[in-house]
Amino acid sequence: LCKDCAQLDLDTLFKRPHKTVAGQTVKKKLGPAQNLKPRSCAFCHLLYSSLGPHYQKESGLIPLRTFSSTRLRDNTWSSIDTNLIQAHYTCKYIVSQPQGLTGPIRIVKDHIQDYEIFKDWINLCRAYHTKVCTVEISNSVLFQKLIDCETRIIIPASNHPYVALSYVWGLNSEKSSFSETLPPNLPNTIEDTISVTLKLGFRYLWIDRYCINQQSEEEREAQIPAMDIIYQKAEVTIIAAAGSDPSYGLPGVGNKKREEHARTTCHKVGRDFLITTESAYPLLSISNSIWKTRAWTYQEAILSRRRLVFADEEVYFECFGMHCSESHNFPLLDMHREDMQGFKHTFCQGKEVGMFPKGVGTTDLAILHRIEEYSKLNLTYPEDVLRGISGILNSFRRLGIRHYAGIPILPRRPRKTQLEATEWTLTMGFLFSLLWEIKSPSERRTGSGVAEFPSWSWAGWYGPVEWKVALSWLPSFKIDPNVQLNVELMDGRALKLEE
């Protein structure tokens, strides 16, 4: 240790108790960051590598704080009892691991070393989450095909267990002609996904670009509305949450190494190993990704039962029962409830398990929240606005909730309403869903399919929409029961909405 670090009583810092979420500040401040890099001091090296690119450029002193894992706002850490040191306000911590490289913190290198970790997550979900993560859909999708990763031939789906891919097509990606064999020069993300599929012990893979014949309108129209079935029936969905197009690759798999700041740094200081580690899951990296801003990928993540996310920092897994990351070896079974269907509430993030919704939702009003979230996202082709959410709308249809031009038709009286003895009708359900708002001036949605989107539907306008005011009215919401709604058909006939 250098002279500055030698003044720190590291043994005490890693053992002192903490009573608050805020932790404690270490009296001695180190820095600036530029002075840490050239030093041969092991602790300076750990601090510098934990700062990340942004804080490494700062010229001020570096504040140090210590926390207890049982007191962090990220409750997942409370599954173990240890102290953590944080330099500045980064998402990385320094942890002492007395037992060496075996313990609750795993080493993350520039390439993935052990795929058995990911297989264990999937197998744990399969074995224990027999209710929350079991697909109940028996329907098959007309024309569905799969990639045989061993032969690279496109085959009929049949009943083969398969992996699905969610990724960003990219602005310059053109729709290629359909072939029964994969082309020889695949983009890095596709090539890496084939490799991961095989290493996970699967053989078959579904990727929209190669498994849907884009030249066949019949095949497109059969499969695009059935995205809910395709993604829900996949054993796991690989999510490429890094990069802006398929050339980027999956970090840590093929040619794409992880960023230097994302790799684990480890040094032996005194009797203990000190290891840098990320927060419990790469929330910021995934939230700030291009993948997270795309409309098509939104429903792919929600509809998937199991998601294996490849971010720049590490690999993250989340199903409907648990979440875990490559850099943390937390006691997953101990974190489960008695029925073993998922994590105890302590280890979940609010109402959700982790960072993704637990499916499309369980209440009628959930469809409004899904549309609100979807309307904030980006579409390359404006006319795809309803296609991009068709899988979610189809899932709600199985729950008895239909839509008309994107406007949900709530079949039941929403909870907390005081509608006296008035009988709820589908017309009432449709009229309530018409009370969407758009906060800023907007323009009509243009594109080849603009005629499909009437002005009274949110789908006919650009920009985020919400039902916030309408939902606040819900406790006293009333509609004249005598109001009737007729729909004019293509042949000129007018039918009641219920009919």
Side-chain angles (χ1 to χ4, degrees):
L1 299 180
C2 66
K3 188 184 298 184
D4 288 335
C5 293
Q7 296 179 32
L8 297 170
D9 187 349
L10 293 176
D11 285 338
T12 299
L13 294 183
F14 282 115
K15 292 176 182 176
R16 65 179 178 176
H18 297 79
K19 297 182 179 180
T20 65
V21 173
Q24 291 176 267
T25 300
V26 179
K27 290 183 179 180
K28 182 71 178 177
K29 289 187 177 181
L30 303 177
Q34 293 92 326
N35 295 350
L36 301 178
K37 187 176 183 181
R39 293 181 183 178
S40 58
C41 169
F43 196 66
C44 283
H45 189 205
L46 286 164
L47 289 172
Y48 184 81
S49 64
S50 74
L51 288 173
H54 173 71
Y55 289 111
Q56 286 173 351
K57 298 175 182 177
E58 288 198 357
S59 57
L61 296 178
I62 300 169
L64 293 183
R65 293 184 298 164
T66 58
F67 299 86
S68 168
S69 61
T70 59
R71 296 285 180 177
L72 285 178
R73 287 188 176 89
D74 180 356
N75 294 334
T76 314
W77 278 96
S78 63
S79 62
I80 61 172
D81 188 2
T82 187
N83 276 9
L84 308 93
I85 291 180
Q86 183 187 52
H88 238 308
Y89 301 97
T90 67
C91 294
K92 269 199 172 184
Y93 302 108
I94 298 173
V95 179
S96 173
Q97 194 149 281
Q99 59 269 57
L101 300 183
T102 302
I105 308 302
R106 295 193 187 97
I107 303 297
V108 176
K109 298 185 178 181
D110 54 2
H111 279 94
I112 296 169
Q113 305 295 308
D114 187 4
Y115 284 85
E116 292 299 317
I117 297 169
F118 313 146
K119 291 169 71 173
D120 289 344
W121 295 339
I122 296 169
N123 290 334
L124 188 154
C125 175
R126 279 172 154 179
Y128 291 99
H129 303 164
T130 52
K131 295 179 181 177
V132 295
C133 296
T134 299
V135 63
E136 297 178 354
I137 302 172
S138 58
N139 302 12
S140 58
V141 177
L142 199 62
F143 304 117
Q144 186 182 359
K145 301 176 180 63
L146 298 173
I147 299 168
D148 184 332
C149 294
E150 292 184 0
T151 64
R152 302 205 169 206
I153 294 174
I154 314 297
I155 64 166
S158 299
N159 290 317
H160 298 302
Y162 63 92
V163 173
L165 173 64
S166 175
Y167 70 112
V168 178
W169 274 47
L171 295 177
N172 298 322
S173 300
E174 296 181 358
K175 296 179 181 179
S176 55
S177 59
F178 180 77
S179 172
E180 294 184 353
T181 305
L182 287 181
N185 298 315
L186 292 170
N188 293 329
T189 296
I190 309 303
E191 195 66 62
D192 291 348
T193 302
I194 292 173
S195 173
V196 171
T197 299
L198 292 171
K199 289 177 179 177
L200 292 177
F202 297 100
R203 178 171 178 172
Y204 301 100
L205 172 64
W206 185 88
I207 303 177
D208 50 8
R209 177 174 296 186
Y210 303 99
C211 295
I212 298 178
N213 184 353
Q214 301 291 342
Q215 279 69 50
S216 169
E217 183 177 355
E218 185 183 16
E219 291 196 24
R220 280 202 323 272
E221 294 306 314
Q223 293 180 77
I224 288 177
M227 288 294 153
D228 58 323
I229 299 176
I230 291 173
Y231 278 96
Q232 285 178 19
K233 293 184 78 170
E235 294 298 316
V236 63
T237 296
I238 293 173
I239 293 177
S244 58
D245 58 54
S247 67
Y248 193 83
L250 300 180
V253 177
N255 296 325
K256 182 62 181 176
K257 295 181 180 180
R258 276 132 170 185
E259 301 293 336
E260 185 176 356
H261 74 272
R263 302 171 202 158
T264 304
T265 305
C266 178
H267 285 291
K268 192 167 189 293
V269 180
R271 297 187 302 273
D272 295 346
F273 282 88
L274 301 187
I275 305 175
T276 61
T277 185
E278 295 283 341
S279 54
Y281 55 92
L283 174 62
L284 286 178
S285 176
I286 297 173
S287 298
N288 295 332
S289 66
I290 300 295
W291 174 85
K292 194 74 166 59
T293 68
R294 304 302 297 171
W296 282 98
T297 57
Y298 170 77
Q299 72 168 2
E300 293 166 3
I302 285 182
L303 296 170
S304 300
R305 294 177 289 154
R306 307 182 186 100
R307 313 152 183 111
L308 193 65
V309 186
F310 286 77
D312 275 317
E313 290 83 3
E314 59 177 319
V315 177
Y316 170 75
F317 176 85
E318 183 177 325
C319 61
F320 292 160
M322 69 178 188
H323 62 89
C324 36
S325 58
E326 183 183 359
S327 60
H328 301 99
N329 188 22
F330 293 152
L332 299 178
L333 289 178
D334 294 342
M335 295 164 70
H336 275 67
R337 305 186 302 266
E338 286 188 12
D339 64 3
M340 298 305 290
Q341 292 303 309
F343 275 176
K344 299 171 185 174
H345 179 72
T346 307
F347 305 118
C348 296
Q349 309 303 313
K351 295 182 180 180
E352 307 297 349
V353 173
M355 62 180 299
F356 297 107
K358 199 188 306 183
V360 295
T362 56
T363 67
D364 292 349
L365 294 179
I367 191 171
L368 304 182
H369 299 306
R370 298 288 84 85
I371 293 173
E372 287 176 339
E373 293 164 351
Y374 175 79
S375 69
K376 300 174 184 177
L377 305 173
N378 301 325
L379 275 167
T380 302
Y381 303 104
E383 61 267 26
D384 284 344
V385 62
L386 288 183
R387 293 192 190 101
I389 196 175
S390 59
I392 289 177
L393 296 176
N394 207 31
S395 285
F396 278 106
R397 182 175 179 174
R398 286 201 299 275
L399 297 174
I401 305 173
R402 296 172 180 267
H403 74 96
Y404 183 27
I407 296 294
I409 306 172
L410 302 180
R412 291 169 287 273
R413 181 176 304 170
R415 293 178 183 177
K416 300 181 181 178
T417 54
Q418 299 171 353
L419 290 174
E420 301 169 352
T422 304
E423 182 182 354
W424 184 263
T425 65
L426 292 183
T427 294
M428 292 180 179
F430 179 80
L431 293 177
F432 176 82
S433 297
L434 280 178
L435 300 177
W436 56 270
E437 291 184 280
I438 195 160
K439 285 301 179 184
S440 55
S442 180
E443 296 180 359
R444 292 284 277 120
R445 190 176 296 277
T446 58
S448 60
V450 71
E452 302 172 20
F453 313 127
S455 61
W456 43 260
S457 172
W458 60 270
W461 300 87
Y462 289 105
V465 299
E466 61 180 37
W467 279 267
K468 186 176 181 180
V469 173
L471 291 172
S472 70
W473 292 342
L474 199 52
S476 58
F477 183 71
K478 295 180 181 180
I479 296 176
D480 186 339
N482 297 315
V483 171
Q484 293 185 3
L485 179 63
N486 292 332
V487 179
E488 185 178 2
L489 305 184
M490 295 289 286
D491 61 8
R493 289 182 299 150
L495 297 180
K496 291 182 180 180
L497 180 68
E498 285 81 0
E499 189 175 344

